[in-house]
Amino acid sequence: MIKPKLMLKFFAKNVAKTGNPLGIENARINRWWKEEQIKRRGEWLFFTGMLYQLTPYIEPLLKYIERLENSKFQEVLRMANFSRSLSAFLLSSITPRKSLEETNKILSNIYFILNSSIDVFYIPEIDTYSGILMYEFGDHDNFAMHARSVIEKLEEHGVRRIVTVDPHTTYALKNVYPKFLEVNFEVKSYIELLDPKKLSRSEEYVIHDPCYYGRYLQLSEVVREKLKKAGINYEEIRNSGKLTNCCGGPIEALAPKISKSIAEIRVNELGRSKIITMCPICLANLRRVKSNALDLSEVLFDGS
Amino acid sequence: MKIYEALENKSIRDGILRTVRNLSYQVDKNLQKHPYLVEYAEEVRNAKKEIIANFDFWIEKAMGILQSKGVEVFYANDANEAIKVVKEIVGSKKIVVKAKSMVSEEIDLRKYLERMGNEVWETDLGELIIQLKKEKPMHSVLPALHYSEAQVAEILKKIGINGRNAEELAEGVRDFMRKKFMSANVGISGCNAFSVDSGRIFLIENEGNIRLATSLPRKYIALVGIEKILQNDRLALKSVLLQSAFFGTFPPTYININEKIEQQEMFVIFLDNGRKSTEFKEQLLCIRCGRCQLECPIFQNFGNIWGGSAYGGPMGIIWTAITEKKSELCFLSTLCGKCREICPMKIDIPEMIRELRRSIIMRK
């Protein structure tokens, strides 16, 4: 395991400087909307929290960390210019183009399907990471400081309703922010708001409920309702919904090997059907062990 | 063993996964067939809350009733005090038979008794295997779940037991232990629940060894973590039934209800060891069924290696913080929340793990 304090320091510094834990400027990774016709005003603010955009950079980071994971050389993480060069390294060419394209497609898919059921809009400049990782590390000070800056930007734009795309951001904005600060907005996951079209698909799927949706936010039933409405067949396993099992993702940066072993256990349990996920961290982590995991949006909207 | 060694040691992971598949199914079945268990859990939770809120009152009452029955009663503030008391009672050059007890692991009792020149035997088969391997239990209920039958056969050769299969090995251990039971001077057990009303010690088991270890020797010592105290027999019985139902084996093969009998000297040691003063009070509601351990994605990889010197897994991370130290291993939790979901006492372990992390990162 990487020393937790070292990792936390790396993340917290990056968040303070660039707004996200990997230290890459949001403007450089948040590109899904560039080619699309988006509205800048409306009822529901589309808020990605940057997790999907960061995911393609996580795999190269983990390959790097795996080498430090159980070694005394991890002290290098302490050095300031090391952090800077790591962020630069992550931005460089090794990030697979395919996963960047997939990320953009997932986000624009979600945006446009929402657009057909609600009045949704997007302001790229105020879309930022939620800070949830610092909360999970128990670093309340840095979390609250970051949350305040997120809320201020939302307030400046008079945002009252927010639609989120991943479970971590949803939980942070909906359940954790109000514990620390006054919030005047309502938060819903896109899954609650979408109105899927009937599709004709013959494949059998299995659902991997993310822990935050399955237990903390209790949205698993909504997921199933929407899948049924879209005519998608899925099998239920014991460990789903409230009893879902973790993909290992949350500890990927501290202990990538352990995280991978957890993903292996989970993928074995899910069986051979195509896996539906709805969290970028689950998606990436389940794919690290060669599974056929897909994002919910790819199942619901692909080809539509 | 360190965590990365454990990660490489696939027998831990395989053993746990095999066990959890079987036991989760059993737990689901138990709850379906006996829906009243859910009400019991609620009742025991509330009763324990009351005890924890008024520890001093209930401990005094518990000690009083035991004294009135002729039991010698001690209160140990920490592990050292408890060990000192046991050493005085046992002395040296004795044969001691032990029931499996996590609280005795917590104070590392076997080691101290052996150092005094006593012959100490763990009488639970799994715990005996662990004793012979000089390891720590991999799970509170199933200490040796990571060993295959062939490995167990190899380990038992150390004490001259040979067998071609599980039945023969078990028979060999039974013969071996029977001699120890008959010649033992002292029996030691933990306590799954203690009834203040009657001064009775409730213990569940599946092998029958606890019954023999606590009834045959002339001296009997029970170690009672103060959180095991319950108001009366009814609640104590419900608590041990819950423990077995949520572990997976229900009803338990044996329920022992031990109290002072004429032919036996009985000693009860109440152990605090961080419990009364802990900031993690909610963990004291734990009935140690071990369900959170088996269902935990981290525990599934490491067993009790993910934890302190005695306790491991989700509950064990917090128990270690109470009785031993705040360990950085808490950062390995994924906070997935499965432990909270399946806990019969509905203990919010993930929130306590976050609090634990918070106090670790605040340390300079």
Side-chain angles (χ1 to χ4, degrees):
Chain A
M1 173 172 62
I2 303 287
K3 287 201 182 94
K5 280 186 196 172
L6 285 181
M7 208 68 220
L8 173 63
K9 205 174 154 197
F10 173 72
F11 287 142
K13 255 184 163 171
N14 283 335
V15 169
K17 216 162 55 190
T18 62
N20 76 57
L22 297 190
I24 311 167
E25 300 290 336
N26 283 343
R28 297 188 68 167
I29 53 170
N30 187 26
R31 310 180 72 89
W32 69 270
W33 54 275
K34 295 249 166 166
E35 319 271 302
E36 311 287 352
Q37 297 274 326
I38 53 155
K39 285 186 302 183
R40 288 185 64 97
R41 271 168 207 284
E43 190 188 354
W44 289 90
L45 174 74
F46 190 71
F47 192 88
T48 72
M50 287 305 139
L51 269 200
Y52 272 101
Q53 294 91 322
L54 287 166
T55 303
Y57 301 93
I58 291 175
E59 188 54 36
L61 174 72
L62 297 193
K63 282 207 177 107
Y64 192 90
I65 293 175
E66 236 176 68
R67 280 180 279 163
L68 298 173
E69 187 173 354
N70 193 21
S71 124
K72 49 182 184 291
F73 297 111
Q74 48 178 276
E75 293 292 324
V76 292
L77 283 170
R78 251 191 232 289
M79 299 173 340
N81 50 3
F82 168 78
S83 300
R84 219 176 305 135
S85 64
L86 182 57
S87 301
F89 158 81
L90 293 176
L91 255 185
S92 66
S93 58
I94 56 161
T95 305
R97 216 186 148 68
K98 222 180 108 197
S99 66
L100 287 172
E101 278 168 10
E102 188 188 25
T103 292
N104 291 342
K105 187 142 184 267
I106 287 171
L107 292 171
S108 65
N109 268 345
I110 297 175
Y111 182 86
F112 286 103
I113 190 81
L114 277 175
N115 198 38
S116 66
S117 59
I118 57 167
D119 179 14
V120 63
F121 68 107
Y122 190 55
I123 309 174
E125 304 82 55
I126 65 169
D127 191 1
T128 187
Y129 179 63
S130 67
I132 186 74
L133 200 57
M134 293 183 286
Y135 173 75
E136 290 167 343
F137 264 88
D139 183 355
H140 288 183
D141 295 347
N142 279 315
F143 172 74
M145 198 160 73
H146 181 67
R148 186 170 296 118
S149 79
V150 176
I151 292 172
E152 271 167 15
K153 280 186 220 154
L154 293 168
E155 290 290 326
E156 268 171 41
H157 287 78
V159 174
R160 289 290 166 264
R161 301 185 121 179
I162 294 172
V163 51
T164 49
V165 298
D166 77 82
H168 295 257
T169 307
T170 313
Y171 183 68
L173 266 60
K174 191 173 175 168
N175 295 35
V176 190
Y177 278 19
K179 281 197 221 165
F180 285 79
L181 301 152
E182 198 196 325
V183 293
N184 298 306
F185 48 73
E186 175 190 358
V187 181
K188 275 193 193 293
S189 155
Y190 85 91
I191 300 169
E192 297 171 90
L193 295 171
L194 66 87
D195 185 17
K197 268 185 261 166
K198 187 103 183 160
L199 302 163
S200 54
R201 285 191 199 266
S202 53
E203 289 123 303
E204 173 97 344
Y205 294 90
V206 62
I207 305 167
H208 167 72
D209 293 287
C211 300
Y212 274 133
Y213 282 158
R215 282 185 278 271
Y216 290 74
L217 294 159
Q218 312 224 349
L219 286 177
S220 299
E221 282 315 307
V222 184
V223 171
R224 281 150 182 80
E225 260 169 50
K226 306 286 169 160
L227 285 171
K228 274 181 200 145
K229 201 165 178 211
I232 289 168
N233 300 315
Y234 56 87
E235 62 170 313
E236 282 290 11
I237 60 168
R238 176 201 185 250
N239 290 325
S240 65
K242 278 186 187 174
L243 291 181
T244 190
N245 274 342
C246 184
C247 69
I251 55 160
E252 61 190 1
L254 277 180
K257 282 182 196 156
I258 300 171
S259 166
K260 204 170 178 172
S261 176
I262 296 168
E264 251 167 45
I265 295 173
R266 180 58 173 163
V267 166
N268 278 335
E269 173 178 68
L270 287 165
R272 285 159 175 268
S273 308
K274 283 189 177 171
I275 301 165
I276 300 179
T277 65
M278 48 218 91
C279 166
I281 294 177
C282 294
L283 182 63
N285 216 49
L286 294 177
R287 280 179 176 173
R288 281 175 73 207
V289 291
K290 306 227 178 333
S291 64
N292 48 12
L294 291 165
D295 190 77
L296 174 69
S297 65
E298 294 173 296
V299 179
L300 284 180
F301 321 132
D302 207 7
S304 62
Chain B
M1 204 187 303
K2 296 256 171 71
I3 52 164
Y4 281 91
E5 280 169 61
L7 190 66
E8 298 301 318
N9 181 352
K10 296 285 180 228
S11 69
I12 297 177
R13 178 173 141 171
D14 295 346
I16 294 171
L17 290 176
R18 215 173 27 240
T19 312
V20 71
R21 270 192 292 273
N22 175 28
L23 289 178
S24 308
Y25 167 76
Q26 293 297 340
V27 173
D28 293 350
K29 218 173 67 181
N30 294 341
L31 293 176
Q32 232 166 36
K33 273 173 77 179
H34 309 280
Y36 56 86
L37 287 167
V38 178
E39 283 161 43
Y40 283 14
E42 174 91 27
E43 213 181 314
V44 170
R45 182 184 153 94
N46 290 335
K48 285 181 85 101
K49 266 181 157 169
E50 151 63 23
I51 302 273
I52 293 160
N54 297 296
F55 256 146
D56 289 335
F57 171 82
W58 288 104
I59 292 166
E60 206 189 305
K61 234 180 144 175
M63 293 177 79
I65 182 87
L66 286 168
Q67 273 154 356
S68 76
K69 295 193 163 200
V71 177
E72 274 203 61
V73 196
F74 304 87
Y75 187 84
N77 286 299
D78 57 27
N80 284 336
E81 286 185 18
I83 290 159
K84 211 176 138 216
V85 172
V86 179
K87 275 178 169 176
E88 272 164 26
I89 299 168
V90 176
S92 62
K93 300 198 178 110
K94 302 285 180 354
I95 298 177
V96 180
V97 284
K98 280 186 76 259
K100 175 161 61 65
S101 149
M102 285 310 288
V103 79
S104 89
E105 293 288 329
E106 176 186 325
I107 62 174
D108 211 358
L109 185 59
R110 197 171 60 231
K111 186 179 85 191
Y112 290 100
L113 288 175
E114 282 173 344
R115 269 195 204 157
M116 299 254 304
N118 294 296
E119 183 185 331
V120 185
W121 291 103
E122 293 292 348
T123 61
D124 173 270
L125 176 57
E127 192 71 19
L128 174 68
I129 292 162
I130 294 306
Q131 177 182 15
L132 295 172
K133 284 294 282 182
K134 297 188 167 48
E135 285 178 354
K136 69 179 220 177
M138 203 50 90
H139 177 268
S140 350
V141 185
L142 300 163
L145 55 72
H146 54 307
Y147 285 119
S148 66
E149 196 179 300
Q151 286 169 308
V152 169
E154 203 47 46
I155 296 164
L156 289 174
K157 279 183 187 162
K158 275 194 187 178
I159 49 170
I161 293 170
N162 290 292
R164 282 165 301 183
N165 51 47
E167 286 72 37
E168 287 185 17
L169 291 168
E171 191 50 44
V173 173
R174 264 197 295 273
D175 281 345
F176 180 89
M177 276 306 161
R178 230 166 262 152
K179 289 177 197 125
K180 301 297 171 194
F181 286 131
M182 297 310 289
S183 55
N185 309 96
V186 186
I188 298 181
S189 79
C191 169
N192 298 132
F194 178 87
S195 161
V196 170
D197 232 15
S198 62
R200 290 178 178 136
I201 309 273
F202 286 66
L203 289 156
I204 47 167
E205 57 165 333
N206 294 315
E207 294 176 15
N209 61 302
I210 296 185
R211 185 153 296 180
L212 296 172
T214 60
S215 61
L216 290 174
R218 275 300 168 84
K219 286 185 178 180
Y220 167 40
I221 306 172
L223 287 164
V224 183
I226 54 172
E227 85 285 4
K228 300 288 182 188
I229 296 174
L230 278 162
Q231 289 82 342
N232 53 46
D233 285 359
R234 204 171 39 88
L235 284 162
L237 183 61
K238 284 182 178 173
S239 177
V240 298
L241 288 176
L242 285 169
Q243 191 182 349
S244 72
F246 279 82
F247 168 71
T249 50
F250 183 80
T253 317
Y254 297 86
I255 300 174
N256 301 285
I257 303 175
N258 292 345
E259 61 187 331
K260 175 77 178 82
I261 47 169
E262 239 174 61
Q263 303 81 350
Q264 194 182 46
E265 275 184 84
M266 184 173 171
F267 306 85
V268 171
I269 304 168
F270 287 100
L271 179 69
D272 179 338
N273 207 25
R275 288 164 172 79
K276 238 197 248 177
S277 61
T278 184
E279 65 205 274
F280 302 112
K281 283 271 181 315
E282 200 185 342
Q283 192 61 51
L284 302 177
L285 298 172
C286 175
I287 55 168
R288 305 256 180 86
C289 61
R291 190 167 186 224
C292 65
Q293 299 179 309
L294 293 174
E295 297 261 7
C296 168
I298 308 296
F299 184 89
Q300 286 172 356
N301 281 281
F302 305 116
N304 268 346
I305 305 297
W306 182 51
S309 63
Y311 303 107
M315 62 95 155
I317 289 290
I318 306 299
W319 272 112
T320 301
I322 296 170
T323 62
E324 192 181 338
K325 59 166 193 245
K326 292 180 173 176
S327 161
E328 277 201 355
L329 286 176
C330 69
F331 284 92
L332 277 186
S333 164
T334 65
L335 301 179
C336 80
K338 182 108 179 210
C339 49
R340 178 179 61 186
E341 189 63 39
I342 45 93
C343 173
M345 295 291 112
K346 296 284 161 227
I347 300 172
D348 195 347
I349 297 178
E351 184 57 21
M352 285 191 281
I353 288 181
R354 254 186 14 80
E355 278 304 321
L356 186 54
R357 290 176 176 183
R358 182 168 150 70
S359 69
I360 290 174
I361 62 154
M362 301 279 279
R363 274 198 311 230
K364 285 287 167 232

